Each structure stands twice: as C-alpha cells, then as structure tokens.
Amino acid sequence: MKVKVVENQKELEDAFSIRKIVFVEEQNVPLEEEIDQYEDEAAHFVLYLEDAPIGAGRFRVVDGYGKIERICVLKEARKTGAGKSIMNAIENHAQTCSLQKLKLNAQTQAIPFYEGLGYEVVSDEFLDAGIPHKTMIKEILT
C-alpha cells in the first residue's frame, strides 16, 4: 500500500471515486454535500494497493488547525491498516505546514479508530449529512 498526495487529475478522480463509493453509495450522503466548495483549496490523498485506489482523504488549514476530512477506505480494505496509512501520510503533511494541532469530525462509529491514533473527543455529538459525529483534536510535534 502506498499513499500519494494528489498531483494530477487522474489521482483526484481516484480520490473522488473512493469517496463516492464509501460516502454516497454506502452511507447515502448526497453527492452535492460530499463534493463541496473546499475541494480546490484542499490537499487530497489517495491510498493505492498496487495501481488500484482503495482509500482517500483530504486536508485543509482552517483557523490555525490542520483539518482532516473525508477519510474513507473501501469496505474490502478495512481493518488492514489502510486507514492508519492515510492518517499517517496526512499527519506527516501537516507537520510540513508547521501546524501544532489537528482537528477532525469523526463519525461516532469511527471514534475508537481515531482514539487509537491519539485523537481526543472535544465536542458533543452532532449530525453531519445525517450521520452522528463528534469533533476530535490531536496535538502534534513539529
């Protein structure tokens, strides 16, 4: 498995295709909510197994935080370390931006995964695209 920072249109389309499968098809998030106005300002990441995309995520700087968004892995690649690979790549990218705090909005079912990576819940539950979430943060060393 290898995580790539998106550098061209094909890689961006690979990221979008994984996000559509996981969020739109599996979780019934409306496409117009999944692909949003922040795509152009975000750094996108794609996880490949050989040449096939199997995971994706994106990263933005928002209010002094590194904001991690849209982390997803195809169903057949879950529980293989794929999600951790994507998160490690994004966190490494965040360190190059001299950021000290990371933030994400985790689906409540994914909170144990993020806690295992050192994130802490800092909000009450809220709905995003009809799915329960909580905000989590992590301090990183730069």
Side-chain angles (χ1 to χ4, degrees):
M1 288 188 285
K2 180 179 179 172
V3 180
K4 287 199 70 191
V5 178
V6 167
E7 297 176 346
N8 59 49
Q9 189 62 32
K10 184 208 177 297
E11 292 169 353
L12 184 60
E13 288 168 8
D14 287 345
F16 287 166
S17 74
I18 299 301
R19 288 171 47 187
K20 286 176 188 173
I21 291 167
V22 173
F23 295 122
V24 177
E25 295 173 20
E26 278 183 41
Q27 298 182 354
N28 298 311
V29 173
L31 182 61
E32 59 274 9
E33 285 186 47
E34 174 51 32
I35 306 300
D36 64 19
Q37 69 271 27
Y38 303 114
E39 303 302 345
D40 290 341
E41 70 185 58
H44 296 269
F45 297 77
V46 183
L47 176 65
Y48 291 95
L49 180 59
E50 296 172 9
D51 290 330
I54 62 167
R58 78 177 188 191
F59 175 83
R60 299 185 300 130
V61 177
V62 179
D63 298 328
Y65 281 85
K67 189 152 190 287
I68 299 172
E69 304 170 316
R70 307 301 203 266
I71 303 300
C72 56
V73 174
L74 293 180
K75 193 177 288 183
E76 58 271 19
R78 293 178 194 152
K79 302 199 186 298
T80 65
K84 187 175 182 178
S85 294
I86 296 167
M87 290 297 293
N88 287 341
I90 292 175
E91 288 182 9
N92 289 339
H93 177 80
Q95 288 180 320
T96 68
C97 300
S98 299
L99 295 165
Q100 296 178 343
K101 289 189 179 182
L102 300 176
K103 179 190 280 190
L104 55 84
N105 293 329
Q107 293 184 9
T108 54
Q109 50 85 18
I111 286 172
F113 166 75
Y114 293 113
E115 286 176 332
L117 297 175
Y119 289 80
E120 296 178 27
V121 173
V122 296
S123 79
D124 292 330
E125 189 173 287
F126 61 92
L127 291 179
D128 185 2
I131 300 168
H133 286 70
K134 290 186 179 181
T135 299
M136 303 183 79
I137 62 169
K138 178 180 180 178
E139 292 194 30
I140 56 174
L141 303 173
T142 53

